[in-house]
């Protein structure tokens, strides 16, 4: 399935110096930091948290809410939605960019494509109610959420931010409603106003999105100001993510006239911020603007610059021109909202390696959200394989050195998880834990449940581990909120790396699906101590 269509740039930039780009791995410190605390804001080219610490968003896109399903894709798979988020967090993705269309926000909107055996807790919920659950669970992990208005309707991408059926007033009012819905929840950090505004029509009869042209019906920079300021009037703590256009004029060059002297410098849809330096987005609240270009490989379109004799040494100059200068000149932060590849060719592999090196290493590097988690992206494929469970290790290996894993309890003000502790201790007395078991669903040949274990001892369990037994013939199918394994009749749920400590008084809920006759966990223990 191809979630969006593309316009490629027509003109490649002058080649950079022909020296090879050296790919270096980041230092070990790149793997620390999480996503900070409280709401985020900007300072020069950095994103910083409420305490002034620099934050690097290293995230991923999980699409589907912008399609006819009106909710996340992959909920039809055998991998529960929580387990998918667990995997994203454990791999190091600390931010989730969530594309949606205005159709998904309408009263009476229905979410489809949900496996009710695997995700019974989502059955009957509206698209927004499912989003609420994802926001809450991601927040417990310390992940952040960026909402992306991807399309006016599920029908497809549009050059402008409005259509006859979805006017600008609806676009803005829907954004204000979302800002009000998540007010006070620091997991949701901002609005990506509209996905990939781009050129349409042949110059001089341009009808697409321009940058700085002054036409209020087409100037994306002015529209971003109107929407951004309306959002900030409701929620002044949000970041406003503004994408580029494709061609600053908003129209396509006449490539058939044989005269290239006047042809415009165009880039990827949403990827051309070359005019943002001269015509910056002006927001009513200072330190809230993040520019968010898109960048793609040959699996999306074979741009002329991929054929340069000095490729890939020519690429940094191209990135500098379109958007990198904003970061390098300390004008504003960069958060690459989309970039991806099938990785089917060596050209693409080199592109991804060099692009990641260009973003910089450690917490001071540029932020990004990779496209995509979904394997069903026709343009790029995903980090998840077709089973929505196993991982494309070739892609992950290139991205891994630049990922900064979330830290539980860092972002959300609701349902906070305890922060990891550096001490190592276990509940040492009988009855030092309390359990609650809930069977969520059952069907012929299997069942789903969740086991909540509270540490009632006086010391943290770090790292925590929960064990239980099942009757012979009951086998584990999947688990989440922990690394869940089976040996004989014994099940072990080991603490995930992002949340190893279970503080005194705190609880952890381990979810699972199993094959066989529905059976409650027996002989439940927390770090070897029996639970009551």
């Amino acid at each position: 399935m191809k979630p969006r269509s593309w316009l490629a740039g027509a003109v490649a930039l002058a080649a950079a110096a022909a020296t090879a780009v050296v790919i270096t791995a980041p230092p070990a410190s790149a793997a620390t930091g999480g996503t900070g605390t409280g709401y985020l804001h900007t300072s020069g080219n950095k994103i910083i948290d409420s305490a002034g610490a620099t934050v690097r968003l290293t995230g991923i896109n999980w699409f589907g809410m912008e399609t006819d399903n009106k909710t996340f894709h992959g909920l039809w798979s055998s991998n529960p939605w929580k387990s998918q988020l667990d995997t994203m967090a454990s791999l190091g993705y600390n931010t989730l960019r969530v594309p949606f269309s205005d159709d998904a926000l309408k009263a009476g909107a229905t979410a489809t494509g949900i496996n009710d055996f695997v995700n019974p807790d989502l059955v009957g919920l509206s698209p927004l109610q499912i989003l609420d659950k994802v926001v809450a669970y991601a927040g417990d992990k310390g992940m952040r959420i960026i909402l992306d208005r991807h399309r006016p309707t599920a029908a497809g991408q549009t050059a402008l931010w409005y259509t006859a059926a979805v006017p600008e007033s609806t676009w803005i009012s829907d954004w204000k409603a979302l800002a009000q819905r998540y007010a006070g929840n620091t997991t949701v950090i901002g609005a990506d106003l509209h996905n990939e505004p781009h050129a349409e029509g042949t110059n001089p009869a341009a009808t697409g999105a321009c940058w700085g042209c002054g036409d209020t019906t087409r100037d994306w920079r002015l529209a971003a100001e109107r929407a951004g300021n309306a959002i900030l009037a409701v929620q002044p703590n949000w970041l406003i993510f503004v994408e580029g256009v494709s061609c600053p004029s908003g129209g396509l060059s006449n490539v058939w006239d044989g005269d290239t002297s006047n042809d415009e410098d165009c880039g990827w849809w949403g990827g051309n911020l070359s005019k943002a330096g001269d015509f910056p987005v002006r927001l009513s609240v200072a330190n809230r603007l993040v520019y968010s270009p898109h960048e793609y490989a040959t699996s999306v379109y074979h741009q002329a610059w991929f054929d340069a004799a000095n490729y890939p040494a020519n690429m940094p100059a191209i990135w500098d021109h379109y958007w990198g200068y904003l970061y390098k000149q300390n004008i504003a932060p960069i958060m690459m909202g989309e970039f991806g590849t099938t990785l089917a060719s060596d050209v693409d592999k080199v592109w991804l390696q060099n692009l990641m090196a260009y973003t910089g290493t450690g917490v001071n590097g540029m932020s990004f959200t990779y496209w995509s988690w979904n394997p069903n992206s026709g343009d790029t494929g995903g980090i998840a394989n077709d089973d929505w469970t196993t991982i494309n290790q070739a892609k992950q290996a290139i991205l891994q050195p630049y990922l900064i894993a979330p830290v539980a309890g860092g972002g959300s003000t609701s349902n906070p998880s305890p922060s990891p502790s550096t001490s190592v201790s276990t509940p040492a007395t009988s009855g030092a834990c309390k359990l609650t078991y809930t069977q969520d669903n059952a069907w012929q040949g299997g069942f789903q449940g969740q086991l909540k274990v509270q540490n009632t001892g006086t010391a943290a369990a770090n790292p925590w581990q929960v064990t239980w037994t099942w009757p012979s013939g009951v086998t584990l199918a999947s688990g989440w909120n922990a690394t869940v394994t089976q040996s004989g009749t014994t099940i072990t749920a080991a603490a995930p790396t992002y949340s190893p400590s279970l503080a005194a008084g705190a609880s952890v809920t381990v979810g699972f699906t199993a094959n066989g006759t529905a059976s409650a966990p027996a002989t439940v223990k927390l770090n070897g101590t029996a639970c009551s």
Side-chain angles (χ1 to χ4, degrees):
M1 195 281 287
K2 189 173 182 177
R4 59 212 186 290
S5 55
W6 296 94
L7 168 70
V11 182
L13 298 180
T19 55
V21 176
V22 178
I23 308 298
T24 59
S29 60
T32 63
T35 56
T37 57
Y39 282 111
L40 307 181
H41 57 286
T42 70
S43 177
N45 65 3
K46 296 189 181 348
I47 298 173
I48 57 179
D49 72 359
S50 59
T54 300
V55 169
R56 186 181 192 182
L57 306 176
T58 63
I60 197 163
N61 287 266
W62 190 5
F63 70 77
M65 197 174 173
E66 83 284 14
T67 71
D68 286 335
N69 296 104
K70 300 182 178 64
T71 193
F72 300 90
H73 282 179
L75 300 184
W76 54 66
S77 74
S78 61
N79 194 10
W81 70 273
K82 286 184 177 179
S83 179
Q84 295 192 50
L85 277 172
D86 288 341
T87 301
M88 295 178 211
S90 67
L91 290 173
Y93 298 102
N94 64 32
T95 301
L96 192 66
R97 182 173 179 262
V98 180
F100 68 89
S101 77
D102 295 73
D103 282 352
L105 310 183
K106 291 179 178 178
T110 301
T112 62
I114 299 173
N115 184 333
D116 56 2
F117 287 145
V118 174
N119 297 304
D121 53 332
L122 303 183
V123 174
L125 298 186
S126 70
L128 278 172
Q129 288 171 328
I130 294 174
L131 178 60
D132 288 344
K133 291 179 76 70
V134 169
V135 166
Y137 191 68
D140 286 346
K141 297 181 171 302
M143 297 176 75
R144 304 292 192 144
I145 300 285
I146 297 169
L147 301 177
D148 156 46
R149 195 287 198 125
H150 210 73
R151 303 169 174 173
T153 71
Q157 184 61 32
T158 57
L160 298 172
W161 55 95
Y162 64 91
T163 64
V166 186
E168 179 175 304
S169 59
T170 298
W171 174 55
I172 291 177
S173 63
D174 282 349
W175 266 127
K176 290 169 67 176
L178 286 170
Q180 290 168 335
R181 185 181 189 91
Y182 294 112
N185 186 333
T186 58
T187 297
V188 185
I189 58 171
D192 188 336
L193 298 176
H194 176 65
N195 188 68
E196 295 179 354
H198 57 271
E200 200 166 66
T202 302
N203 284 327
T207 58
C210 64
W211 191 291
C213 69
D215 181 346
T216 56
T217 66
R218 297 196 302 112
D219 195 328
W220 168 235
R221 174 249 197 164
L222 297 179
E225 292 176 352
R226 293 193 295 272
N229 288 331
I231 292 168
L232 291 171
V234 173
Q235 171 50 294
N237 293 308
W238 267 15
L239 296 173
I240 303 299
F241 296 86
V242 180
E243 300 182 28
V245 293
S246 58
C247 307
S249 71
L252 304 174
S253 298
N254 185 354
V255 297
W256 309 111
D257 62 5
D259 180 7
T260 60
S261 61
N262 295 317
D263 286 348
E264 191 175 8
D265 174 21
C266 297
W268 297 110
W269 284 9
N272 192 336
L273 286 158
S274 60
K275 297 297 185 182
D278 295 330
F279 301 97
V281 173
R282 300 156 298 183
L283 298 177
S284 56
V285 180
N287 303 317
R288 297 294 183 270
L289 173 64
V290 179
Y291 286 114
S292 187
H294 291 186
E295 189 70 29
Y296 276 97
T298 58
S299 58
V300 173
Y301 184 85
H302 193 87
Q303 298 274 19
W305 49 70
F306 295 122
D307 294 324
N310 63 337
Y311 177 82
N314 62 319
M315 294 308 299
I318 292 170
W319 295 325
D320 282 350
H321 171 73
Y322 283 128
W323 45 270
Y325 75 97
L326 295 164
Y327 181 88
K328 291 187 175 182
Q329 296 177 23
N330 205 37
I331 295 171
I334 287 293
M335 201 287 294
M336 269 197 304
E338 292 183 20
F339 65 105
T341 166
T342 58
L343 217 63
S345 71
D346 289 340
V347 169
D348 279 20
K349 181 178 180 180
V350 168
W351 168 85
L352 184 58
Q353 290 172 329
N354 281 268
L355 179 61
M356 296 313 298
Y358 179 82
T359 66
T361 58
V363 73
N364 291 314
M366 301 179 200
S367 293
F368 57 83
T369 49
Y370 185 80
W371 188 276
S372 60
W373 169 250
N374 305 50
N376 61 321
S377 170
D379 298 316
T380 64
I383 292 297
N385 289 323
D386 288 342
D387 59 4
W388 294 86
T389 302
T390 58
I391 300 304
N392 184 312
Q393 296 296 342
K395 294 179 184 179
Q396 184 64 24
I398 297 174
L399 298 172
Q400 191 74 62
Y402 302 89
L403 300 179
I404 299 176
V407 177
S412 178
T413 57
S414 59
N415 302 321
S417 299
S419 298
S421 168
T422 57
S423 63
V424 178
S425 57
T426 61
T429 60
S430 179
C433 53
K434 180 180 178 180
L435 70 91
T436 305
Y437 173 64
T438 303
Q439 181 176 300
D440 295 318
N441 199 10
W443 55 93
Q444 185 175 0
F447 63 101
Q448 177 175 329
Q450 52 181 313
L451 180 64
K452 179 179 179 180
V453 176
Q454 181 184 19
N455 179 5
T456 57
T458 58
N462 187 10
W464 60 264
Q465 178 177 281
V466 174
T467 60
W468 70 86
T469 61
W470 270 330
S472 179
V474 177
T475 58
L476 178 72
S478 65
W480 53 95
N481 294 355
T483 301
V484 188
T485 57
Q486 182 170 7
S487 178
T489 60
T490 300
I491 310 300
T492 300
T497 56
Y498 57 80
S499 185
S501 179
L502 185 62
S507 301
V508 63
T509 300
V510 178
F512 57 80
T513 58
N515 305 311
T517 303
S519 306
T523 322
V524 180
K525 297 180 181 180
L526 174 62
N527 286 16
T529 301
C531 298
S532 60

